[in-house]
Amino acid sequence: MDPPFQETYKSLFNDYTIASKDKDDSLMNANDECELPLIDLHRLTLEYSEKEQCVKEIKQAASEWGFLQVINHGIPQEILKSLQYEQRKAFQHPFRKKAEDNFLNLSAKSYRWGNPRATCLRQLSWSEAFHVALTDISRIGDAYKSLSASIKAFTTKANALAKDVAEILAENLGVSSTFFEENCPEETSYLRMNRYPPCPFSSEVFGLIPHTDSSFLTVLNQNQIGGLQLLKNGRWINVKPNPEALVINIGDLFQVLSNDVYKSIKHRVLAPQQVERFSLAFFYCPTSETVIESSIKPSKYKEFTFREYKTQIQRDLEATGDKVGVSRFLL
């Protein structure tokens, strides 16, 4: 069932020495743990003062952390549990079947694992994922109708949640009130279903390497294994899972849109040693031709389209093996 990590990346494991470890080693098992700011979104439906306080807390969490947790978010537990069940079933197929181009009838390269560009263990992600463009949902084969239905139910709700939070965060930034309605139709976003198999080298490789998200916002549902870490004030901090909450984090596009009022924070996932970990990530994205620019002047970034941003990321990955991100567009 598991991808052949050791077999495929044999040379990286053979070349692994103490000297190859980087300065990040001492932080692999960060001792600091935090509970992200917890926001009850039901308060948005209450009287004016309560609503305004909730909005203030959302903006404060996004500004100070780049991450927040939300409860009463509008996505029923039945929908989450249904998709989690279907996700597990999809990953339980043999590796060779999952790696077939026509598995689930998704677009090419929708199934991903490891990191083909890795030149050392620190660049290897001990995980596998189905990266599903929402335009592909209708293509999922009849044999997986229940998976298709679960994905659709979840992404419809997640899209509405992301839009509501994005509009709150965009208040007073000079962004048009119709910006997200006009530029982020549901079909331009993505769902990533992740599985992190047990890893015998959990002190040497990541489950998911440090990165920022190339979206406006990401809505994350994870099981209670733990392992998510974020970089705050130069230190990696463990994020304590909350079974009742979804995690929302700022992506690269919102950092530019807000002119750094909100930051896209680097985060990573540690590889679990003895258990498997699952997560669902919904990436709230615009159309490829959407122009990303800050209305706050002077702007720190030159404007670009989402297509140009994705193209630059691919160029950087091919050239350096790493994502440079929004710093490419600094003025």
Side-chain angles (χ1 to χ4, degrees), residues 122-136:
R122 279 295 176 272
Q123 294 177 347
L124 174 60
S125 289
W126 194 279
S127 57
E128 58 180 336
F130 290 107
H131 191 80
V132 184
L134 299 199
T135 51
D136 277 355

Side-chain angles (χ1 to χ4, degrees), residues 11 40 64 77 190 199 204 206-207 239 308:
S11 62
D40 183 351
E64 294 180 3
Q77 283 297 316
Y190 298 84
C199 176
E204 299 164 11
F206 293 112
V239 175
E308 290 171 334

Side-chain angles (χ1 to χ4, degrees), residues 29-321:
N29 295 306
N31 293 321
D32 295 338
E33 184 176 63
C34 72
E35 288 194 28
L36 296 174
L38 182 64
I39 313 294
D40 183 351
L41 296 185
H42 173 66
R43 294 160 61 203
L44 294 172
T45 67
L46 302 180
E47 61 183 24
Y48 179 80
S49 60
E50 191 69 28
K51 177 182 176 180
E52 287 302 295
Q53 181 62 29
C54 184
V55 166
K56 179 181 178 181
E57 290 175 13
I58 291 171
K59 293 180 178 180
Q60 185 175 356
S63 175
E64 294 180 3
W65 288 85
F67 277 75
L68 61 147
Q69 296 181 106
V70 294
I71 56 174
N72 290 320
H73 41 65
I75 306 180
Q77 283 297 316
E78 310 88 77
I79 289 178
L80 293 172
K81 289 178 180 178
S82 174
L83 183 51
Q84 289 164 357
Y85 173 74
E86 295 298 333
Q87 174 186 8
R88 285 177 177 269
K89 284 204 308 184
F91 280 117
Q92 285 172 356
H93 285 86
F95 168 72
R96 289 185 179 180
K97 184 173 182 63
K98 290 182 287 191
E100 291 175 355
D101 286 341
N102 62 349
F103 182 63
L104 299 181
N105 203 32
L106 297 173
S107 298
K109 299 182 180 179
S110 291
Y111 175 69
R112 305 172 184 184
W113 64 280
N115 179 5
R117 298 186 178 92
T119 59
C120 66
L121 289 187
R122 279 295 176 272
Q123 294 177 347
L124 174 60
S125 289
W126 194 279
S127 57
E128 58 180 336
F130 290 107
H131 191 80
V132 184
L134 299 199
T135 51
D136 277 355
I137 297 176
S138 60
R139 296 175 47 182
I140 295 177
D142 290 344
Y144 305 99
K145 278 186 176 179
S146 54
L147 173 62
S148 175
S150 294
I151 291 176
K152 180 61 178 175
F154 172 74
T155 55
T156 297
K157 294 288 188 180
N159 188 77
L161 171 62
K163 177 177 176 292
D164 288 346
V165 173
E167 289 178 345
I168 288 172
L169 293 175
E171 289 176 359
N172 303 320
L173 294 181
V175 179
S176 166
S177 61
T178 60
F179 177 84
F180 296 105
E181 183 76 38
E182 295 171 351
N183 293 291
C184 300
E186 185 176 334
E187 62 270 16
T188 62
S189 293
Y190 298 84
L191 175 69
R192 187 178 175 105
M193 300 187 293
N194 301 300
R195 174 179 178 261
Y196 302 86
C199 176
F201 308 98
S202 59
S203 64
E204 299 164 11
V205 300
F206 293 112
L208 197 60
I209 60 176
H211 66 285
T212 59
D213 293 343
S214 306
S215 57
F216 278 121
L217 295 173
T218 301
V219 178
L220 175 70
N221 175 241
Q222 56 181 337
N223 62 9
Q224 302 307 300
I225 300 303
L228 174 64
Q229 296 184 334
L230 60 86
L231 189 63
K232 184 172 174 61
N233 299 326
R235 296 177 63 85
W236 287 104
I237 300 176
N238 293 302
V239 175
K240 185 178 181 179
N242 183 328
E244 304 299 322
L246 296 176
V247 173
I248 298 178
N249 64 276
I250 301 297
D252 298 342
L253 302 186
F254 226 122
Q255 177 168 327
V256 174
L257 190 72
S258 70
N259 211 32
D260 285 359
V261 171
Y262 309 120
K263 295 288 184 66
S264 182
I265 301 299
K266 187 169 286 190
H267 51 286
R268 67 189 188 186
V269 178
L270 301 186
Q273 188 172 11
Q274 297 178 323
V275 295
E276 59 183 353
R277 179 184 188 271
F278 291 91
S279 68
L280 298 162
F282 175 83
F283 300 99
Y284 187 56
C285 297
T287 64
S288 293
E289 301 310 317
T290 297
V291 176
I292 311 300
E293 61 178 331
S294 171
S295 297
I296 300 175
K297 305 302 178 185
S299 175
K300 298 179 180 180
Y301 302 92
K302 58 185 176 182
E303 68 177 50
F304 55 86
T305 65
F306 187 38
R307 185 189 304 279
E308 290 171 334
Y309 188 56
K310 290 185 291 185
T311 299
Q312 185 62 58
I313 289 172
Q314 288 305 311
R315 287 174 180 164
D316 288 334
L317 287 173
E318 291 169 6
T320 68

